[in-house]
Amino acid sequence: SFSGCIDVSDKTNNINHFIGNWEGISYFETTTMNVTFSFYEDDTARQVTDGSHSHLFFYEFDDNSLYLTLQDFPDFEPIIYSYEFSNNNTALNLKNVSFD
């Protein structure tokens, strides 16, 4: 679950609620880490996780999923998250559906 200060932009009449910085906690098995996602108007994103280097992505989204493609490896399959906005678009819940 992420919260953030969102700078909303209008992309051809579709509001992109992802734009801005989102801070939250990532859960994987028994590990939790602080993580920040920054989404930019040029369809790029940056992920910074405690204890790790940052990752740069290209991103796309549809009504159900967020697709993150590593900029350094554009031919790799994207990481896919289901997403849900809440609290008047000030909270973002992501669930990685790329893993079994």
Side-chain angles (χ1 to χ4, degrees):
S1 179
F2 295 89
S3 62
C5 176
I6 307 169
D7 299 321
V8 177
S9 98
D10 186 350
K11 296 176 117 184
T12 60
N13 298 325
N14 293 321
I15 294 177
N16 182 349
H17 295 290
F18 288 99
I19 301 286
N21 297 313
W22 299 89
E23 295 178 349
I25 298 173
S26 174
Y27 301 97
F28 181 71
E29 295 179 349
T30 60
T31 304
T32 60
M33 292 180 280
N34 292 320
V35 63
T36 301
F37 275 105
S38 299
F39 292 92
Y40 306 103
E41 290 183 15
D42 66 354
D43 299 328
T44 62
R46 181 177 182 198
Q47 175 191 359
V48 177
T49 306
D50 284 350
S52 178
H53 62 283
S54 64
H55 297 282
L56 301 174
F57 298 96
F58 298 108
Y59 76 93
E60 297 179 65
F61 61 93
D62 58 28
D63 290 339
N64 303 308
S65 300
L66 169 66
Y67 305 90
L68 298 176
T69 303
L70 285 164
Q71 289 183 15
D72 289 339
F73 302 100
D75 294 331
F76 284 15
E77 292 292 318
I79 300 166
I80 303 170
Y81 291 93
S82 63
Y83 69 87
E84 180 180 45
F85 289 99
S86 59
N87 293 341
N88 203 24
N89 296 320
T90 62
L92 171 62
N93 293 306
L94 296 175
K95 181 178 179 188
N96 190 321
V97 296
S98 296
F99 294 126
D100 291 293

